[in-house]
Amino acid sequence: MPDAHQADRLSKLSAKKTHVALRVVVAASLFSLVALAATAWGVWALRESALQRAGVATANMARALAFQADAAFRGADLALEGMVERAEADGRNIAALERLRAHLLLMAHKAWFLHDLFMYDEHGVLLTSSLEPPVEANNSDRAYFRYHQLHPDRETRIGAPIRSRSSRLWVVPVSRRLQHPDGSFAGVALATLRIDFFEDIYDELNLGQSGTVLLALEDGTLLYRRPLQEDLIGRNISDGPVFQTYRKLGPDGTAMLTERVDGVERLYSYHRTSTPPLIVAAGVSSEETLEEWHRLAVIIALALVFVLALIGYLTRRLLRQLAIRDLLEEGLRNRTSELQQANAHLSAMAWKDGLTGLANRRAFDDFLNRELRRATRNKVPVSLVLLDVDYFKRYNDSEGHAAGDECLRQVATALGAAPSRAGELAARYGGEEFAVVLSGTDLAGAAVLADKLRQQIAALAISHPQHPEGVVTVSAGVALRRQAGGAQPGGAGAGRHG
């Protein structure tokens, strides 16, 4: 990206270099933006990929745990179904109860997920169980007993977790109603599932330090949560984020949720079993899930910063080189211009008289030769006016060389105004002598000009004490070269005017 230094360099560049520099800056900026956008997209894609992988893992885990929980509760239901069938078919005599007790002991031994099996009569008195040794008890105050006492349905009921009165462990009661042949209430068949059975399984899961597993009834009653917090067992979590998502998305879903219990944001996947209706959810911490992504994102960000810094550095170096080159070219142009001016000045000095500013003898000879050749080609006359300052040596001797130089300059000024068209030139011929070349002018025209120049110089009224007239005057002579038949020169004439 261009910075203040680059902008300052751009403002100082020439128009051509500014165009190149702008293209460089635009290209660098576009490349930086593309690199930034591509990196941002790539980092975001990596994040989404990490979340997707974690979502697949938690979804598979939730389904597996739901299958395991479903199998445990179905096993309890099968045990209850057998107990109810035996009790209602065999009656309650001592022999039948002994046979039933032996059956309960066998089932409790084989079904490791079961805590114990019980059968109560219509008054809540314990008829038989899988407890060793046998005990006497009355559970008519339990919620499951009162439910079946009041409801005639024969469906298996899963109740809220309770503490076993025999072992003081947390258990989940699974119960069914017993009926007399007339359909009246005859008691309850009960199977209890150990909460620590789920704890043993869920603690083996690799969910990270902040991962969790929820097992709840469909009405929101929490059966178990990893890690185990006994004060949460039996709590209703139907207004929590998992159940809100369940009601929104249906029996399966995955979402990033923040649990109210600990405020940790997790990626949850849940699954609902059909019979019995249970909700199983597995969640992994978003921070732990994205930990590797965070490290990779930092590395990529640092690499991007390095690349952008390198682009900026190279851009600044290039702009600096452009600025240096532009300065060198500008300096070269200035030097070239100065050299051209110096050459022009030297050339002018080579062809001009240093004192009077008129053309010097070299320029006069060159100009005259060119005009004579041109006059030969075009068959036109060339006239020459020669002028000499009168008594100039006396003037120098009496007034000094500085005054003599000034006198020559004034005379040259008057003569320099004479040429008015191409082919005419006024020059200092040497010393106090001057010449005017008039191409295309005949002898009469040259004489008129010579007389005019004489009068103009006299009109300057330059004081000359050693001159009879008291002022500086000039003598003038004219000559003509006429092209006769394209080759013959005309005659020359001279006159002196004092």
Side-chain angles (χ1 to χ4, degrees):
M1 299 290 182
D3 55 16
H5 295 290
Q6 294 172 357
D8 181 60
R9 291 193 181 103
L10 288 176
S11 65
K12 295 180 180 179
L13 291 174
S14 65
K16 184 177 180 180
K17 289 297 188 299
T18 299
H19 179 69
V20 175
L22 284 175
R23 292 178 65 181
V24 170
V25 172
V26 169
S29 300
L30 288 177
F31 183 83
S32 299
L33 289 175
V34 169
L36 183 61
T39 302
W41 179 86
V43 170
W44 179 258
L46 288 174
R47 181 182 185 275
E48 292 302 301
S49 177
L51 291 176
Q52 184 179 15
R53 290 194 302 271
V56 171
T58 55
N60 291 335
M61 189 177 296
R63 286 179 174 274
L65 295 177
F67 176 80
Q68 179 271 333
D70 181 70
F73 282 99
R74 283 180 181 272
D77 184 52
L78 289 174
L80 291 175
E81 187 176 354
M83 291 169 60
V84 170
E85 193 276 331
R86 282 173 176 266
E88 292 181 350
D90 296 345
R92 301 183 181 181
N93 56 60
I94 294 176
L97 291 177
E98 285 297 327
R99 286 195 303 271
L100 181 58
R101 173 175 168 76
H103 178 67
L104 297 183
L105 288 171
L106 181 61
M107 284 194 297
H109 176 73
K110 289 186 175 182
W112 69 95
F113 53 87
L114 292 176
H115 178 252
D116 277 306
L117 298 167
F118 305 87
M119 182 173 288
Y120 299 92
D121 67 10
E122 61 268 30
H123 302 293
V125 176
L126 180 62
L127 295 176
T128 186
S129 71
S130 61
L131 294 177
E132 285 285 1
V135 297
E136 294 182 359
N138 188 305
N139 277 12
S140 60
D141 60 334
R142 289 293 198 183
Y144 59 82
F145 187 88
R146 292 197 299 270
Y147 176 86
H148 290 298
Q149 193 176 33
L150 298 175
H151 296 80
D153 66 85
R154 305 298 299 276
E155 299 296 326
T156 300
R157 179 181 183 272
I158 302 175
I162 58 175
R163 278 196 179 273
S164 170
R165 286 172 175 167
S166 60
S167 65
R168 304 308 301 166
L169 297 176
W170 282 101
V171 295
V172 179
V174 183
S175 58
R176 291 186 70 166
R177 175 186 169 100
L178 295 174
Q179 291 188 165
H180 292 296
D182 62 358
S184 61
F185 178 64
V188 173
L190 174 69
T192 56
L193 275 70
R194 299 174 9 241
I195 291 291
D196 59 6
F197 162 74
F198 298 104
E199 183 178 13
D200 291 342
I201 294 175
Y202 297 165
D203 280 349
E204 295 298 321
L205 300 176
N206 183 15
L207 295 172
Q209 295 182 352
S210 301
T212 188
V213 176
L214 302 177
L215 175 62
L217 300 178
E218 191 178 25
D219 64 0
T221 301
L222 181 64
L223 302 181
Y224 176 79
R225 179 183 182 276
R226 174 190 184 268
L228 178 62
Q229 292 178 255
E230 293 191 0
D231 59 326
L232 297 179
I233 294 177
R235 178 183 294 187
N236 190 291
I237 59 171
S238 60
D239 60 344
V242 173
F243 272 80
Q244 291 178 2
T245 306
Y246 159 62
R247 286 189 288 270
K248 183 185 301 183
L249 300 181
D252 290 279
T254 299
M256 190 71 74
L257 306 172
T258 301
E259 195 172 348
R260 297 176 182 176
V261 173
D262 52 19
V264 176
E265 184 184 55
R266 295 182 177 91
L267 181 66
Y268 278 97
S269 291
Y270 68 87
H271 179 73
R272 176 190 179 277
T273 63
S274 56
T275 304
L278 301 170
I279 303 295
V280 181
V284 291
S285 166
S286 62
E287 182 177 352
E288 294 177 8
T289 300
L290 297 175
E291 184 177 3
E292 181 64 28
W293 172 80
H294 279 299
R295 285 196 292 268
L296 185 60
V298 170
I299 294 174
I300 293 174
L302 291 176
L304 176 63
V305 169
F306 173 77
V307 171
L308 294 180
L310 181 61
I311 292 173
Y313 171 75
L314 293 177
T315 302
R316 292 183 63 180
R317 285 292 302 271
L318 183 56
L319 291 178
R320 184 171 179 269
Q321 292 300 319
L322 286 174
I324 292 174
R325 182 173 178 178
D326 194 59
L327 289 174
L328 291 175
E329 290 180 356
E330 183 180 1
L332 181 61
R333 287 194 298 270
N334 292 336
R335 294 293 184 183
T336 301
S337 177
E338 292 174 0
L339 183 60
Q340 289 174 344
Q341 293 176 2
N343 288 337
H345 180 67
L346 290 174
S347 177
M349 291 182 63
W351 295 92
K352 285 187 178 181
D353 178 64
L355 176 64
T356 63
L358 296 178
N360 58 18
R361 175 64 179 272
R362 178 183 177 188
F364 167 78
D365 290 341
D366 183 75
F367 183 81
L368 181 60
N369 288 331
R370 286 201 312 273
E371 289 304 313
L372 289 176
R373 287 194 297 272
R374 189 168 66 86
T376 301
R377 289 194 304 271
N378 298 333
K379 298 182 175 57
V380 296
V382 176
S383 297
L384 178 65
V385 179
L386 292 175
L387 301 102
D388 187 3
V389 179
D390 298 326
Y391 305 111
F392 185 72
K393 184 176 183 308
R394 295 181 184 179
Y395 186 88
N396 257 348
D397 293 342
S398 64
E399 303 300 318
H401 289 285
D405 290 344
E406 180 60 27
C407 173
L408 293 177
R409 277 193 289 270
Q410 292 188 49
V411 171
T413 301
L415 295 178
S420 59
R421 59 181 181 174
E424 297 182 350
L425 175 72
R428 184 183 180 188
Y429 192 75
E432 70 275 16
E433 297 178 342
F434 299 89
V436 179
V437 179
L438 301 171
S439 180
T441 302
D442 58 13
L443 190 62
V448 171
L449 178 63
D451 189 60
K452 180 180 178 181
L453 292 174
R454 182 189 63 77
Q455 294 178 19
Q456 288 178 347
I457 294 170
L460 296 176
I462 301 172
S463 176
H464 190 344
Q466 302 301 320
H467 194 291
E469 297 182 12
V471 295
V472 172
T473 62
V474 295
S475 297
V478 296
L480 172 69
R481 180 179 180 181
R482 180 182 295 110
Q483 302 301 324
Q488 298 298 323
R496 177 168 294 274
H497 306 271

